[in-house]
């Protein structure tokens, strides 16, 4: 995330990419959905995909500059994916952006 912050110049609040970090940053309705879905997923790729779906939403939710937050989150997830060996997740970036647009 540090590399994505440096490259995008994003200066918004940091949302830790954990269940607690994401949950705390989400709006109440999104938080409820996030926790409900957590109960339904297993571990590994499903869990990681769910966190990858909601983490950008959480980042955008707490940011003053939504576009800067979206750029940062997009790049941070790309770097994360590369670091994890480019494994596929249950929730592709397109779905994340669709969720963002629907919640706006």
């Amino acid at each position: 995330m540090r590399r994505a912050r440096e490259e995008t110049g994003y200066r918004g609040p940091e949302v830790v990419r954990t269940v607690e970090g994401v949950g705390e940053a989400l709006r109440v309705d999104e938080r409820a959905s996030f926790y409900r879905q957590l109960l339904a997923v297993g571990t590994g790729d499903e869990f990681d995909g769910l966190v990858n779906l909601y983490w950008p939403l959480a980042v955008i939710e707490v940011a003053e500059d939504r576009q800067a937050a979206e750029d940062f989150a997009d790049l941070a997830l790309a770097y994360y994916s590369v670091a994890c060996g480019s494994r596929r997740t249950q929730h592709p970036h397109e779905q994340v952006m669709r969720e963002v647009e629907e919640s706006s």
Side-chain angles (χ1 to χ4, degrees):
M1 284 193 247
R2 182 176 32 110
R3 183 175 173 191
R5 274 186 180 274
E6 290 170 0
E7 290 184 24
T8 62
Y10 178 68
R11 300 289 177 247
E14 182 177 341
V15 176
V16 180
R17 198 185 159 284
T18 63
V19 170
E20 184 177 344
V22 171
E24 287 178 1
L26 290 170
R27 289 189 331 237
V28 172
D29 59 327
E30 291 171 336
R31 183 179 310 140
S33 178
F34 175 59
Y35 288 135
R36 199 171 32 257
Q37 290 181 47
L38 274 174
L39 295 173
V41 300
T43 58
D45 286 346
E46 285 183 328
F47 174 82
D48 201 42
L50 186 65
V51 173
N52 285 345
L53 174 63
Y54 280 93
W55 179 78
L57 296 172
V59 169
I60 293 166
E61 184 63 33
V62 298
E64 291 180 23
D65 183 343
R66 291 179 62 89
Q67 184 60 53
E70 184 177 325
D71 293 344
F72 160 71
D74 186 34
L75 188 57
L77 278 180
Y79 284 141
Y80 177 77
S81 179
V82 169
C84 291
S86 298
R87 62 183 174 178
R88 290 181 49 101
T89 62
Q90 295 286 329
H91 305 285
H93 174 72
E94 292 78 21
Q95 185 175 350
V96 171
M97 291 301 104
R98 192 169 40 255
E99 291 276 341
V100 169
E101 289 174 12
E102 289 173 3
S103 70
S104 298

